[in-house]
Amino acid sequence: MAVDPLAAPTEDPAPAHVNGEDDNDEGEEDGAPEGAAAGWREGKKKKKKKKPKKKANKPEQSDPPRIGLSKFFPDGTYPEGQIEEYKDDNRWRTTSEEKRYEEKMIMQDPEANYNNIRKAAEVHRLVRKHAKKYIKPGMTMTHIAETIEDGIRALVEENGLEAGIGFPTGLSLNHCAAHYTPNAGDTIVLKQGDVLKVDIGVQVKGRICDSAFTLNFEPTYDKLLEAVKAATNTGIREAGIDARLGEIGGAIQETMESYEVEVNGKILPVKAIENLSGHTIHPYQIHGRKSVLLVKNNDQTKMEEGDYFAIETFGSTGRGKVVEQGECSHYAKIWDAPNVQLRLTTAQSLLKTINKNFGTIPFCRRYLDRLGESRYLLALNHLVQQGVVNSYPPLCDAPGSMTAQFEHTILLRPTVKEVVSRGDDY
Ligand code: 57R
Ligand code: CO
């Protein structure tokens, strides 16, 4: 049984109602309106509480979750994430008519409205909720990856570049922090003492929900996970319009490094990994131009209205620095790739497959395999060498060290900050 010490409380917490909806089912019992509209019901003799009838046509999600979300949100309106007001000199935005109007205009644009990222986030919450229960030591990394990806494809109702997996399912183990997913033939099996980073991406109309959590199956590294979760929440709290990236990095590092872990009687300080970062996310582009480092720095760049950020932090009991290590699995076509003349015909045909199935969305070798591509490594390496595709090898700290990650996607909307991937789990 996966022991994630930071999991949601055992009893089912009341669902987070960001828009203050009343979740008492009093008004729903007999279908009468709730809240103010139910005013006419005050003063009437209190009705005997009857068990609310299950609405016959209300579909129920399967277990594992595989029923597309449009069946549950027929009007295409997906739940808002956690709303936080901006601080100090941006608080005026909450009630600004001009800013509310700007958001109304955004909501009218099917390509840019917030329902795309919110659908991706709802898929993310359902997939990770099942993954946290299902993943157990003894499973192969391949089985874990494919179970998560089957869930994403089904729930998001995969449809070419319109909706699908946002990037390869990150399953980095122990001293490896990021950019590992199994390639074909990988025989690694999850062990009881492992610390597994699960980094899941879901995209709808190119809007990528990038959120990650860490699983452990015994308590040794609980404090490491606690440190990183707290540091990520510090980053989310400090983020906002006009916030300076360097200051956020300093706040993240301060939280992270206020923790220590006792391992085999030895006290190890938790270090923020200095060469990993959070980042802006653009449509079909997972890593934008702004990076949020995890250590104090002098970057005066400000966060801006309209930015989508992946706020992610990584903690380590090792050097606090990652290097590229091991076989590469992650690739992505470069956003402004040059139009080079490819002399290798196999590279030309592989590029066609990449353009058709991924565009600039990151992919991994397993996704080429499932499309029927084979013997493609030479061609793929040629595309990398020609500067058409970027390769992202696994990023690892020192062998024997342990790393953890937590991550959310936030929207810097004109009126408020929305932690769109927030759930009752993290
Ligand atoms: O979150 C090719 C992917 N991402 C998948 C996800 O930060 C990402 O490297 C990128 O497949 C590519 C980083 N920062 C330096 C530039 C300072 C990493 C942290 C891990 C990860 C996977 C990430 C990073 N950058 N973009 C998303
Ligand atoms: Co990520």
Side-chain angles (χ1 to χ4, degrees), residues 227-239 244-259 270-273 276-278 291-297 303 310-315 406:
V228 181
K229 189 178 224 183
T232 297
N233 281 323
T234 294
I236 291 169
R237 199 173 44 249
E238 293 303 314
R244 293 181 192 279
L245 301 184
E247 289 194 8
I248 299 174
I252 287 170
Q253 181 172 27
E254 190 182 351
T255 299
M256 186 78 80
E257 301 191 348
S258 68
Y259 285 81
V270 177
K271 289 182 188 159
I273 296 183
L276 285 180
S277 68
S291 289
V292 184
L293 288 181
L294 313 183
V295 293
K296 189 165 174 44
N297 64 89
M303 293 186 156
I311 300 292
E312 57 188 312
T313 72
F314 293 82
F406 279 91

Side-chain angles (χ1 to χ4, degrees), residues 120-178:
E122 188 65 15
V123 168
H124 198 286
R125 279 185 286 269
L126 282 171
V127 166
R128 76 200 194 208
K129 183 171 183 172
H130 175 259
K132 286 164 83 112
K133 277 183 314 193
Y134 181 76
I135 294 172
K136 292 191 183 65
M139 288 182 178
T140 64
M141 305 315 285
T142 301
H143 177 62
I144 293 169
E146 289 176 347
T147 301
I148 289 172
E149 288 156 5
D150 289 351
I152 298 171
R153 295 181 201 278
L155 294 175
V156 83
E157 297 162 278
E158 183 178 36
N159 174 20
L161 297 179
E162 281 301 290
I165 293 172
F167 51 80
T169 305
L171 293 173
S172 302
L173 282 166
N174 305 328
H175 70 294
C176 284

Side-chain angles (χ1 to χ4, degrees), residues 61 67-73 78 122-123 126 155 157:
Q61 188 51 265
I67 300 175
L69 288 199
S70 60
K71 311 276 179 312
F72 300 88
F73 299 93
Y78 289 86
E122 188 65 15
V123 168
L126 282 171
L155 294 175
E157 297 162 278

Side-chain angles (χ1 to χ4, degrees), residues 245 277-283 285-293 299 301-310 335-336:
L245 301 184
S277 68
H279 48 92
T280 36
I281 314 175
H282 301 274
Q285 192 182 3
I286 185 62
H287 201 135
R289 280 175 304 286
K290 294 175 193 158
S291 289
V292 184
L293 288 181
D299 186 348
T301 312
K302 289 183 176 179
M303 293 186 156
E304 295 168 273
E305 177 186 297
D307 281 348
Y308 282 48
F309 267 96
W335 183 255
D336 32 20

